[in-house]
Amino acid sequence: MLSSPSLIPNLIAAILYIAATVHQGTRLAQGNKADKRLLGLLGVVAVLAQGSALFFQLLTPLGLSLDFFSAASLIATAVIALTLLACLSIPVENLLVLLFPLGAITALLSQFAPAGTVPLVNEEPGILAHILLSILAYGLFTIAVVQSLLLLLQDHQLKHKHPSGLIRNFPPLQTMESLLFGFLWAGWILLSLSLISGWLFLDNLFAQHLVHKTSLSCLAWIVFSVLLWGRARLGWRGHKAIRWTLAGFCLLMLAYFGSKLVREFILHI
């Protein structure tokens, strides 16, 4: 592991993520905005480094090796890449102060944490499409959850009239809420496509090793569907919307990482 080709890229990614977090966190604590160009440069290079490390970790002569920590690193890379792209057109750079540490942690864990039983993934195009859609859906819902937590913090501090340096650099509350539901809609569409592709390309979505993942994913889809319906029809917002967002996200993470943790580290299948 210490001599693997993924070591240097993962270390570079972690160092750059930490440097970006320190820069942004320091500026926000002072009530100032971080240098967007510097933040973007550090983020892009870190994502490229983490992506190159994943190339070595995931691709093996026997097939695609998607173990627990590599999967976490892959989703974190997708989350940060999506957020950096979003920063080009909408004001979401404050999300990076929480996402960059996530990138550093997952890069280091994927490199140094012990691997469990690693299942090889069928590389048929339909299966790969299902995996890609799932990762993008998890990524967008992760962004939505971070957005909801920042929205909760912003709402709390504004009500108590003690906005911190971080909050003073946020867009207005209404804009933050609109961004949250934009991410939720995008994640819901991708999750829907992921479930449809699973039905089409997997032999049996309710096979013994998939039943928990499928059931929890379907429950998460229902939770997010109700939330989006409640927003459109009943005007749900604020704490109610945040609670439903967190509930759906927890179900989704249990569906993937919960079942993966049990299979790889407890059942060894």
Side-chain angles (χ1 to χ4, degrees):
M1 184 178 294
L2 293 178
S3 61
S4 69
S6 62
L7 174 62
I8 299 301
N10 270 328
L11 290 178
I12 291 172
I15 290 169
L16 291 175
Y17 284 138
I18 292 168
T21 303
V22 170
H23 167 69
Q24 187 177 20
T26 302
R27 295 286 292 173
L28 289 174
Q30 296 169 348
N32 302 313
K33 290 186 177 180
D35 185 329
K36 197 169 180 179
R37 290 185 179 180
L38 176 60
L39 207 61
L41 177 62
L42 290 172
V44 168
V45 176
V47 164
L48 291 175
Q50 192 170 11
S52 65
L54 285 166
F55 176 83
F56 294 113
Q57 291 173 318
L58 299 181
L59 298 180
T60 72
L62 299 176
L64 186 65
S65 175
L66 196 61
D67 66 90
F68 182 88
F69 292 111
S70 293
S73 181
L74 180 59
I75 291 175
T77 305
V79 169
I80 295 169
L82 288 170
T83 306
L84 288 171
L85 285 173
C87 286
L88 298 175
S89 56
I90 54 178
V92 291
E93 57 271 11
N94 286 322
L95 298 178
L96 295 170
V97 75
L98 298 180
L99 295 178
F100 281 154
L102 177 67
I105 291 168
T106 55
L108 294 174
L109 285 175
S110 70
Q111 184 64 45
F112 297 111
T117 304
V118 183
L120 295 178
V121 178
N122 188 325
E123 294 188 45
E124 293 179 5
I127 303 296
L128 293 179
H130 170 69
I131 292 172
L132 177 61
L133 288 167
S134 299
I135 288 171
L136 290 175
Y138 295 148
L140 283 166
F141 281 126
T142 301
I143 296 171
V145 163
V146 174
Q147 180 79 0
S148 72
L149 293 174
L150 292 178
L151 181 61
L152 187 65
L153 177 63
Q154 183 181 23
D155 180 62
H156 179 269
Q157 292 199 1
L158 289 175
K159 283 181 178 178
H160 290 79
K161 299 180 180 180
H162 294 294
S164 63
L166 173 66
I167 298 303
R168 287 196 294 270
N169 282 290
F170 276 13
L173 203 62
Q174 188 174 357
T175 302
M176 289 282 286
E177 201 167 71
S178 297
L179 290 173
L180 168 63
F181 280 93
F183 288 128
L184 287 171
W185 270 111
W188 180 84
I189 291 169
L190 287 171
L191 180 59
S192 302
L193 293 174
S194 169
L195 291 172
I196 291 169
S197 65
W199 283 103
L200 291 175
F201 299 115
L202 294 175
D203 293 332
N204 182 5
L205 268 178
F206 289 95
Q208 184 176 3
H209 66 290
L210 291 175
V211 64
H212 293 95
K213 178 182 177 182
T214 302
S215 301
L216 289 169
S217 295
C218 290
L219 282 174
W221 183 89
I222 292 170
V223 168
F224 286 121
S225 299
V226 171
L227 169 58
L228 293 171
W229 175 85
R231 169 70 170 185
R233 296 289 184 176
L234 305 175
W236 287 2
R237 53 179 302 176
H239 287 231
K240 179 175 285 188
I242 291 169
R243 285 196 296 269
W244 279 81
T245 300
L246 293 174
F249 181 76
C250 288
L251 285 170
L252 204 57
M253 289 300 102
L254 279 174
Y256 187 71
F257 286 109
S259 60
K260 203 166 181 59
L261 180 67
V262 170
R263 288 187 63 200
E264 293 184 23
F265 292 96
I266 298 176
L267 301 179
H268 299 288
I269 57 174

